[in-house]
Amino acid sequence: MTPRPLPAADHNWWHQPALVLAVCGLVALFLTLLVPGSSFVRTLLTTATTGLSVLAVTRAATAWLHPSPRLLPYLYFLSALIGAVLGVAVNLLLRAHEGELATLLRRYPDIVARTFGVLVIIAGVVSALFLARDRNRRMEMAYHAERAKNAEQEKMLVETQLKMLQAQIEPHFLFNTLANVQSLIDLSPPEAKRMLGHFNDYLRASLTRSRDAHGTVAQEVQLLSAYLSILQIRMGERLRFAIDCPPELETLELAPMLLQPLVENAVRHGLEPKVEGGTVSVAFRRAGERLSIRVSDDGLGLGASSGDGVGLANVRARLLTLYGDDARFTLEACDGVTVTLEIPLRP
């Protein structure tokens, strides 16, 4: 039978021995005052040996055995009692070797009897303390497990909401794109062919990203490039875009389809209503140990592109679920709208 590993909380291993020695010191002082002429040092040695034996046997039993919660009280009591008897036996053998055992039994038989009675009481107290500590630890582990379960459920909920949002967005985008391709076939076959090429790239990147739990910056750049290229053909010269991503950042981890709602928000609410259109820029930068992503447009600003939109709210919720307090989301309005995301670097 192999011992189970000690919990992470046991790295302060000296806490329990220090507490045991402090209690043994108080017991030794009490016994010294109770027995006239007794030595405090000798009594302290006796109580300390007994206390540390109780601690050693109890910890060894809990480390090697795997009792059910129903049997824990009996295990703790029996371990504490065995440890107490072992500690007293060691001290009695030392006293017998020095010729003190016979004198002790002859002069203070009632004290010896009361000592064993006290040992039983101490064993019960120690077992109750260990049992309470074990229950507290189990409750703490259950609490953390429940928190982790709730966090995972919240993450799944956000991902489900994202997929629902994507399911609502994509049909509209797909039907518009197909309608544009159909109209371009008669007006400009080369443009129709070019749009179909970008549309194929977008579908391939979109399907791959939506099925992956993790992705890379390069994959997100590919998706955004295909998406904006389609919109650029539809809007003509009214839409310009630029994606700036240093090659060393392309292999970094990035959640799938995290940026598309931001780009779509910029085009739909910032640039499409503007007569002369404008430019969408996506820039990736490294800021220390964080990845900074800026999505900006020079459209109509917050008057048309509300910061409380479904897409932006979904991105905020997804960042909170994926990165917690390590992620930052800022929204600025200056000659358009700029959204900045900062997330931890994950290769």
Side-chain angles (χ1 to χ4, degrees), residues 19-339:
L19 179 61
V20 168
L21 291 177
V23 173
C24 291
L26 294 177
V27 174
L29 180 60
F30 174 76
L31 294 178
T32 302
L33 296 177
L34 183 65
V35 181
S38 60
S39 170
F40 172 76
V41 175
R42 179 59 63 85
T43 306
L44 177 61
L45 179 62
T46 301
T47 56
T49 304
T50 304
L52 293 178
S53 297
V54 170
L55 178 63
V57 173
T58 304
R59 296 196 65 175
T62 55
W64 282 88
L65 301 177
H66 303 271
S68 63
R70 183 175 58 86
L71 298 178
L72 274 178
Y74 304 101
L75 173 67
Y76 284 138
F77 179 79
L78 183 60
S79 301
L81 185 59
I82 292 175
V85 172
L86 179 63
V88 172
V90 171
N91 281 278
L92 290 180
L93 290 176
L94 293 175
R95 291 177 181 271
H97 178 71
E98 298 175 1
E100 298 181 7
L101 179 59
T103 302
L104 181 65
L105 294 175
R106 183 177 66 255
R107 296 180 59 182
Y108 307 107
D110 55 335
I111 293 179
V112 173
R114 285 199 296 266
T115 300
F116 279 99
V118 170
L119 288 178
V120 176
I121 297 176
I122 292 176
V125 172
V126 171
S127 62
L129 292 176
F130 274 95
L131 182 61
R133 186 196 66 169
D134 186 80
R135 284 178 176 174
N136 290 336
R137 186 170 298 178
R138 288 177 181 271
M139 292 177 61
E140 183 178 357
M141 293 174 60
Y143 169 74
H144 289 296
E146 187 66 22
R147 285 193 60 184
K149 180 180 178 181
N150 291 338
E152 185 65 24
Q153 290 178 346
E154 182 180 355
K155 181 178 179 180
M156 293 175 61
L157 177 61
V158 173
E159 293 296 331
T160 301
Q161 292 174 344
L162 175 68
K163 292 180 179 180
M164 291 177 61
L165 178 64
Q166 195 71 21
Q168 295 172 358
I169 293 173
E170 285 191 343
H172 177 74
F173 171 72
L174 297 181
F175 293 148
N176 283 345
T177 302
L178 291 175
N180 279 275
V181 170
Q182 185 177 11
S183 63
L184 286 174
I185 290 177
D186 296 329
L187 298 176
S188 178
E191 288 294 305
K193 183 178 180 180
R194 190 158 66 95
M195 178 175 279
L196 277 177
H198 293 309
F199 187 54
N200 182 53
D201 294 339
Y202 172 81
L203 288 179
R204 184 183 296 108
S206 177
L207 291 175
T208 301
R209 297 284 277 158
S210 62
R211 293 170 181 170
D212 290 339
H214 305 282
T216 64
V217 171
Q219 291 173 331
E220 193 73 6
V221 168
Q222 180 184 7
L223 178 68
L224 294 179
S225 178
Y227 177 75
L228 287 170
S229 296
I230 295 173
L231 294 181
Q232 190 177 49
I233 296 176
R234 285 171 47 186
M235 295 178 61
E237 296 181 355
R238 295 178 59 241
L239 175 61
R240 298 169 295 278
F241 71 90
I243 301 178
D244 182 9
C245 179
E248 63 271 16
L249 301 182
E250 292 182 350
T251 57
L252 295 179
E253 179 182 316
L254 186 62
M257 297 186 180
L258 186 63
L259 303 180
Q260 183 177 339
L262 303 179
V263 173
E264 181 183 8
N265 192 77
V267 174
R268 175 178 295 182
H269 301 290
L271 301 183
E272 278 189 341
K274 190 176 180 181
V275 176
E276 65 273 25
T279 303
V280 177
S281 300
V282 183
F284 297 82
R285 292 291 183 270
R286 176 169 182 165
E289 295 303 316
R290 307 174 69 83
L291 174 63
S292 175
I293 309 170
R294 291 170 58 91
V295 180
S296 58
D297 67 83
D298 54 2
L300 297 180
L302 289 179
S305 178
S306 173
D308 297 327
V310 177
L312 298 184
N314 193 286
V315 172
R316 286 192 183 99
R318 198 166 179 221
L319 284 175
L320 181 62
T321 303
L322 293 174
Y323 305 102
D325 295 334
D326 292 334
R328 299 173 187 171
F329 181 101
T330 58
L331 183 66
E332 302 172 316
C334 182
D335 296 329
V337 175
T338 298
V339 177

